[in-house]
Amino acid sequence: MSQSNIFPHALYTADDTRCLEAAMLSGSKSGLYLMHRAANCALEALGEYWPNVKQLHIFCGGGNNGGDGYTMAALAAKRGLQVTAWQLSTNNPEEPYHYALQEGVDIKPFSTEAWCSVLAKDEGLLSTVIVDALLGIGSRGVLKSPIKQAVQQINTANYPVFSIDIPTGINPDTGAFLGLDDPADGQAVQASATISFIVPKIGAFVGEGRKHTGKLFFNDLMVAGEQQLNNSQASSVKPIAHIIDHKDFLALLPSRAIDAHKGSSGHVLVIGGDLGFGGAPLMAAEMAARTGAGLVGVATQRVNVSAVIARQPELMAVGVESGQMFLPLLNKPTVLVVGPGLGQSAWSEQLLYHALSELEQGKKLVIDADALNLLASGRLCLPKPQSTYSNNWVLTPHPGEAARLLNTSIAAIQADRITAINALHAKYGGTIVLKGAGTLVLTNDRRLYVCDAGNAGMATGGMGDVLSGLIGSLVGQGLTTPDAACLGVVLHAMAGDLAAAQSGMRGLLATDLIPYVRALLDEVQA
């Protein structure tokens, strides 16, 4: 990649990065050449993001990341910037350290007192940027002194922060805080921007990593035309995941035939809405109808029927009082969306039991909300995880529901979301959507995807309901359950970003996303 602000869709682990770096070094390039190139690319990206920068405070650790920092300090000094390098380790990478000294960089041993003293003199210099070159991808375990103190001081300084490779304190493989079981105890550098080298790391896109990375720049450190990689080493490296590209999945959505009719675009039945929860299935059904499903029904408590029809008369709302009354409604739908507002009563359990029985008849199911909590209770007979039937369902838990499904804590889910989604797949099969910052999708054939869209304004009630309705609609229109899950997740998140850009994050409602999803789907030619 020649442009530092463009990155590929494939995501890798720290070990993958080290393997590819070794393959590069087995060619004609030395480690110092690579470090010099990385520092130069970092400086270019920093200058692109902060074009008026005049002063850098570069925090340097003792490993390769610190070497990048010292080399970056030397290059910045040569360009006329005022540079201070803060030394966090006496085990410095020798040549980069002396290169910085040679170029007149002011290298100061870090202490909180020394930093605060300099900071007091710098106050008001808005053209200053802090560079985090402390740990990079090689760190393991919890942060210790003096790194921990440096992270605290970086985060409390009133300057923007630029991290090298990944913000210090973030696990590059999980996106969680380093070495901690409980995310509430963690801390990491809060970067305004980060540059990643060689390959993008999945940790920058998931959980805390997504929050702490800021704007992401990327450079693979390759020069066009250079044959630097040892192919035998590089060929063994496979990405752990891919970012969902909505255009790839939109291309899979069938166009409507000129003689299409309502029965040819899917019949979705939304099942839910116990007493007091009637809005949830209505939102899911409205999203399904507005995004192309030919027919959409709602099976709900009788008290909700008039409200559903008043809100959206195109929906076929039926009040059901028992599982026996529910059975005839299962004959015609091709997709069942089970769980929005379902509750956990005896009524709820009966409806879910009959819906699950339809898996054996080839029906496709989207399981959300209280349907997931009922599954977690262990009172229902489930298909075997790797059975053909389980491949027909999509489970869409948020971290709390995932914790119940795996009989663990939310903290454990958030500490390693990738391990969590693999555990969900092993236990339940099918396609799993683990919602949250950097929503993950693990397909029934074990392809892992990450959603790089969405915003904090979407943390409101009903967002999961409209997502389940959207996925159900896409399945009904002919997508496989994995493809519908991926496309539904990314369109839902992109719609949230468009809505927030239009009207702001605060007060964003789930149904606000519907017109934006419609517009995104219109990229497919009718």
Side-chain angles (χ1 to χ4, degrees), residues 253 256 265-266 268 270 281-297 308-315 466 469-474 477 491 510-522:
L253 189 63
R256 296 214 178 200
S265 297
V268 178
V270 179
L282 172 54
M283 288 187 286
E286 186 177 356
M287 174 65 92
R290 289 286 187 183
T291 54
L295 292 165
V296 182
V308 171
I309 295 172
R311 165 82 181 198
Q312 200 71 56
E314 294 86 355
L315 300 176
V466 295
L470 174 56
I471 294 172
S473 172
L474 295 171
Q477 293 174 71
L491 291 182
T511 51
D512 293 341
L513 271 58
I514 294 176
Y516 294 99
V517 175
R518 252 190 105 185
L520 290 166
L521 281 167
D522 279 341

Side-chain angles (χ1 to χ4, degrees), residues 380-452:
L380 293 160
C381 183
L382 305 180
K384 293 181 179 179
Q386 306 310 323
S387 70
T388 303
Y389 302 142
S390 72
N391 288 341
N392 288 335
W393 70 359
V394 181
L395 277 62
T396 62
H398 58 53
E401 292 156 350
R404 288 186 281 277
L405 287 165
L406 293 175
N407 193 28
T408 186
S409 66
I410 295 175
I413 298 294
Q414 296 295 76
D416 193 341
R417 288 169 55 83
I418 297 165
T419 294
I421 198 170
N422 278 285
L424 287 165
H425 183 274
K427 187 172 181 179
Y428 296 96
T431 292
I432 310 293
V433 175
L434 182 54
K435 296 180 287 195
T439 290
L440 299 173
V441 181
L442 183 61
T443 67
N444 53 27
D445 58 355
R446 303 193 64 79
R447 289 174 289 135
L448 182 62
Y449 291 92
V450 181
C451 179
D452 187 32

Side-chain angles (χ1 to χ4, degrees), residues 303-321:
V303 69
N304 298 324
V305 170
S306 59
V308 171
I309 295 172
R311 165 82 181 198
Q312 200 71 56
E314 294 86 355
L315 300 176
M316 301 175 291
V318 180
V320 294
E321 297 177 355

Side-chain angles (χ1 to χ4, degrees), residues 84-306:
T84 302
W86 292 91
Q87 180 184 2
L88 272 291
S89 171
T90 56
N91 185 27
N92 298 296
E94 187 171 345
E95 293 192 48
Y97 178 82
H98 288 292
Y99 181 32
L101 284 175
Q102 174 188 312
E103 297 300 332
V105 173
D106 183 13
I107 299 178
K108 296 180 182 293
F110 171 80
S111 70
T112 299
E113 295 75 16
W115 166 250
C116 290
S117 174
V118 170
L119 198 63
K121 298 175 185 176
D122 284 352
E123 191 172 356
L125 295 178
L126 299 180
S127 55
T128 298
V129 175
I130 294 173
V131 177
D132 161 29
L134 289 169
L135 294 182
I137 64 170
S139 55
R140 290 292 182 270
V142 296
L143 297 181
K144 298 177 181 178
S145 300
I147 299 292
K148 184 176 180 179
Q149 284 72 28
V151 169
Q152 292 170 342
Q153 293 303 319
I154 288 170
N155 286 342
T156 54
N158 191 29
Y159 294 131
V161 180
F162 186 64
S163 285
I164 306 298
D165 235 0
I166 199 156
T168 294
I170 295 296
N171 186 316
D173 295 342
T174 67
F177 292 120
L178 281 171
L180 291 174
D181 294 327
D182 188 348
D185 297 332
Q187 59 182 306
V189 167
Q190 180 59 63
S192 310
T194 299
I195 186 166
S196 184
F197 296 125
I198 301 179
V199 287
K201 288 73 181 174
I202 190 169
F205 295 85
V206 180
E208 295 293 338
R210 191 167 191 265
K211 181 173 75 174
H212 284 78
T213 296
K215 178 177 175 61
L216 184 64
F217 293 83
F218 171 71
N219 196 294
D220 62 11
L221 304 184
M222 296 279 282
V223 178
E226 287 188 350
Q227 299 298 318
Q228 293 174 236
L229 290 181
N230 179 313
N231 290 331
S232 62
Q233 285 180 279
S235 62
S236 67
V237 176
K238 306 295 182 187
I240 187 175
H242 288 81
I243 295 171
I244 304 173
D245 186 334
H246 79 287
K247 293 181 180 178
D248 290 345
F249 288 96
L250 271 177
L252 302 175
L253 189 63
S255 299
R256 296 214 178 200
I258 195 169
D259 59 347
H261 55 85
K262 61 186 179 183
S264 60
S265 297
H267 184 167
V268 178
L269 178 64
V270 179
I271 303 161
D274 203 353
L275 298 176
F277 303 105
L282 172 54
M283 288 187 286
E286 186 177 356
M287 174 65 92
R290 289 286 187 183
T291 54
L295 292 165
V296 182
V298 180
T300 186
Q301 289 280 9
R302 191 180 299 275
V303 69
N304 298 324
V305 170
S306 59

